[in-house]
Amino acid sequence: MSAGKKLDRAFEKLGEKNTLSFELALDTDAASLKALDAESDPAPGEEIPDEVAELLSGAKIAVTVQSKKPLSESGEKDLLGSAMKVTTSDGDLVEYRLIGDYAYARVDMDAMGKAMGGPLPDADDLPPEAGALKDVLEGKWVKFDTKEMQKNAESKGAKGGPASSLDAKTQKKLTASLRKVIAREVEFKTADGKDGTEHVTATAPFRTLITELLGEIRPLMKDLPPGMDLPTDKDLKDAPNAKVTADFTIKNGELAQVDLDLAKLAENAKVKKLGLTLRLSEGTKPTAPAGAKTIDLVELMSGFFGGPAYDSEVDITDLPEEDYPESDF
């Protein structure tokens, strides 16, 4: 079996699973992130702070999805639960779970404040009537009813209903077109690894590959969910065309890990390492956390911004007009 066929089969096996977990990790260090930031020529005072670069350098995103059907055959109604967690070198930053009609969330406000470059409100500063908002600031689990959120949005005039998606015929056409581009532009090689693993490496010039892939997708934009915008060829003309390599680790015919080396895309920036690592594993069933308090999102937003929630029906036509100097924006 060719390297490309082995990779195809490994991806097909992922779609045969009902539950899947994966972790996406940024493989870099704070010094490399600072160098990349400096190369982008930020305005004075807008440079990435040292503590933020340190925080991001150890960032990981873990995701789990569970469905009644194999994932390749599943639609939104088939999903039983999902979970997402963002972790940094300081610990868990944000965690979110969707189980049935409820969404659960918790946030480490100290770490979030560090990531945003400034402190966030403290739970001790809130009055007793703040209720579940205190739990949010203390990093405890809270939950909110997704059906109530949808009803509230519809009552305010928001359009409901699922976004449009590609039909099966269009999906097959798109997949065939993308595979032709990959077969033409990507060089595949295989090698044996440790513990019975096999490695398939895929190497391609970055700008050429991305430009041609997007060229195959654009004719189908009318069939994609609204609001999706793709970069034009003109937008991509200055993108580096260095060759980028992805290393796929396959074990027992299944995809176990993907390592993507992006250091060559940094061009003139002095980076020690810059990459992404994707680790896949058997999924664990997402469960609802115990003790989560129910919270009203309108109440939550009001508490954060210190005033009543915005009402789209408020008449603002008689408010006085004011001129603001352009420098204020």
Side-chain angles (χ1 to χ4, degrees), residues 55 86-94 108 111:
L55 196 72
V86 179
T87 304
T88 69
S89 54
D90 284 352
D92 296 342
L93 182 64
V94 179
D108 183 331

Side-chain angles (χ1 to χ4, degrees), residues 98-146:
L98 185 60
I99 313 291
D101 295 332
Y102 279 90
Y104 301 81
R106 66 175 175 179
V107 182
D108 183 331
M109 285 298 175
D110 290 337
M112 182 66 77
K114 186 182 293 186
M116 297 178 67
L120 293 178
D122 192 287
D124 294 335
D125 297 332
L126 296 179
E129 58 268 22
L133 180 57
K134 276 199 167 188
D135 283 27
V136 176
L137 297 182
E138 290 173 350
K140 296 179 181 178
W141 280 105
V142 295
K143 65 179 181 179
F144 46 92
D145 191 325
T146 55

Side-chain angles (χ1 to χ4, degrees), residues 197-258:
T197 62
E198 188 172 15
H199 289 267
V200 175
T201 57
T203 304
F206 179 75
R207 184 177 65 243
T208 300
L209 181 62
I210 296 298
T211 300
E212 294 201 20
L213 289 175
L214 292 179
E216 296 293 340
I217 297 173
R218 283 194 194 94
L220 302 174
M221 283 299 294
K222 63 182 183 300
D223 299 314
L224 295 177
M228 292 185 65
D229 292 319
L230 297 179
T232 65
D233 289 348
K234 184 179 180 181
D235 295 331
L236 295 170
K237 70 180 180 64
D238 293 327
N241 206 34
K243 287 190 175 183
V244 175
T245 297
D247 186 325
F248 299 86
T249 302
I250 299 174
K251 188 169 186 177
N252 299 325
E254 297 186 358
L255 187 62
Q257 184 166 313
V258 184

Side-chain angles (χ1 to χ4, degrees), residues 49-93:
D50 292 345
E51 59 270 22
V52 174
E54 190 66 40
L55 196 72
L56 294 178
S57 65
K60 297 178 182 178
I61 300 175
V63 177
T64 293
V65 180
Q66 182 187 31
S67 174
K68 293 182 288 187
K69 298 180 180 179
L71 293 174
S72 61
E73 303 171 11
S74 296
E76 185 178 350
K77 293 182 179 179
D78 300 313
L79 295 180
L80 297 174
S82 60
M84 185 274 292
K85 180 167 65 175
V86 179
T87 304
T88 69
S89 54
D90 284 352
D92 296 342
L93 182 64

Side-chain angles (χ1 to χ4, degrees), residues 267-306:
E267 294 187 306
N268 297 326
K270 295 180 180 180
V271 300
K272 293 181 180 179
K273 58 179 179 177
L274 179 64
L276 289 173
T277 296
L278 177 69
R279 300 182 181 90
L280 299 109
S281 63
E282 291 291 337
T284 55
K285 180 181 177 181
T287 57
K293 289 186 180 179
T294 302
I295 194 166
D296 186 318
L297 284 188
V298 175
E299 173 190 329
L300 175 63
M301 296 305 291
S302 299
F304 265 122
F305 294 108

Side-chain angles (χ1 to χ4, degrees), residues 137-181:
L137 297 182
E138 290 173 350
K140 296 179 181 178
W141 280 105
V142 295
K143 65 179 181 179
F144 46 92
D145 191 325
T146 55
K147 282 191 174 181
E148 286 299 320
M149 287 174 56
Q150 184 175 352
K151 287 179 183 178
N152 184 63
E154 290 174 354
S155 70
K156 296 295 183 181
K159 294 182 179 179
S164 60
S165 58
L166 293 177
D167 57 64
K169 183 178 179 181
T170 305
Q171 286 184 39
K172 288 182 178 179
K173 181 181 177 182
L174 176 60
T175 301
S177 298
L178 297 182
R179 280 182 170 175
K180 286 180 181 178
V181 173

